[in-house]
Amino acid sequence: MKKLSTFMTKTTLVAAAVMLAAGCTAVAKPQVDNSANSNATTLKAKALDNALLYSDECITEREVVAAQKMWGEGIVRIGAVFSNDGDYSSEAADFIQAMYGYDLSSVLFKPTLAANDQFRSSFDAALSYFVGGNDAYQEDKGFAIKPYTNVKFDNVGIINNSCRMAVAMGNYFFTDTNGGETKVEYTFAYVKDSKGDLRIVAHQSSLPYNPSGN
């Protein structure tokens, strides 16, 4: 009986020591900062959103040239609808939806004939530039309803070494109904959406420098 009592006492002491050690460990355990995990989760969510919006395929020069051709044809088409008394505003809206990435991200758009409101960061602002009729942008006369009969791109170069974005720079030439041609300088940046279509996310254009000021 004495041995059993001694054994039980030792067992009780060992158990108490284990519980004490566990308690000390629990008390000493530092608080976990969940902000890092939260940030990581947010970044993963954004990455997933991007994956749904954009293609994983690299952009080729051939695709850029094809997108430029579509852009030029779209400008001519808006003008033709205007000349035939059609719904040119809707035509222009469809053009912007197809060619620009306003539904994907921010778009940096600095059109040629804009002085007071130089940068058009919204869909409505871009639409106003192409067809006019928006009281918020009274300087807009409707670039695409001049109208033009042809648009020709002359690329100085196309950079696509970042794979997910391509940038083209050069001159494009707009032919009006009288046969006159206007040369304009441009820089376009493209991304590829989830359907595989190129969309413009940066567009800057300006008339060439005229040293005479005329």
Side-chain angles (χ1 to χ4, degrees):
M1 293 294 292
K2 183 178 181 180
K3 290 182 178 181
L4 179 60
S5 176
T6 302
F7 173 76
M8 292 180 63
T9 301
K10 289 181 178 180
T11 302
T12 302
L13 290 173
V14 170
V18 170
M19 292 177 63
L20 179 61
C24 290
T25 302
V27 171
K29 188 177 181 179
Q31 294 292 324
V32 176
D33 184 4
N34 291 322
S35 61
N37 293 334
S38 177
N39 290 337
T41 301
T42 301
L43 289 175
K44 287 181 180 179
K46 288 182 178 179
L48 179 60
D49 288 342
N50 287 338
L52 295 174
L53 292 174
Y54 300 99
S55 170
D56 290 332
E57 298 178 354
C58 292
I59 300 172
T60 67
E61 290 191 20
R62 185 185 298 273
E63 288 175 316
V64 171
V65 172
Q68 291 175 334
K69 185 174 185 294
M70 288 178 60
W71 191 94
E73 290 173 347
I75 294 296
V76 171
R77 189 167 57 251
I78 294 167
V81 172
F82 170 78
S83 297
N84 292 321
D85 297 323
D87 189 355
Y88 60 92
S89 184
S90 292
E91 186 69 37
D94 291 342
F95 166 78
I96 296 169
Q97 181 65 39
M99 298 302 306
Y100 290 81
Y102 284 103
D103 58 332
L104 300 176
S105 67
S106 297
V107 175
L108 306 178
F109 181 20
K110 164 54 181 79
T112 311
L113 304 178
N116 297 326
D117 293 288
Q118 298 167 272
F119 305 100
R120 305 304 175 89
S121 58
S122 72
F123 184 97
D124 289 342
L127 179 62
S128 176
Y129 176 73
F130 285 115
V131 298
N134 188 331
D135 290 339
Y137 303 93
Q138 295 187 5
E139 66 179 322
D140 293 344
K141 307 303 180 186
F143 173 80
I145 61 176
K146 182 176 176 66
Y148 297 102
T149 60
N150 187 57
V151 180
K152 179 181 67 176
F153 280 78
D154 181 14
N155 292 304
V156 171
I158 298 172
I159 298 173
N160 62 341
N161 53 357
S162 65
C163 186
R164 298 296 180 86
M165 178 178 288
V167 180
M169 177 182 286
N171 296 310
Y172 45 2
F173 301 84
F174 297 83
T175 304
D176 61 33
T177 54
N178 296 319
E181 189 176 74
T182 302
K183 181 173 78 171
V184 182
E185 302 164 342
Y186 71 84
T187 301
F188 281 26
Y190 301 89
V191 296
K192 185 182 292 189
D193 67 19
S194 59
K195 295 180 180 178
D197 298 323
L198 296 198
R199 309 281 290 280
I200 300 164
V201 292
H203 170 183
Q204 192 281 336
S205 60
S206 57
L207 295 171
Y209 170 62
N210 183 355
S212 67
N214 296 326

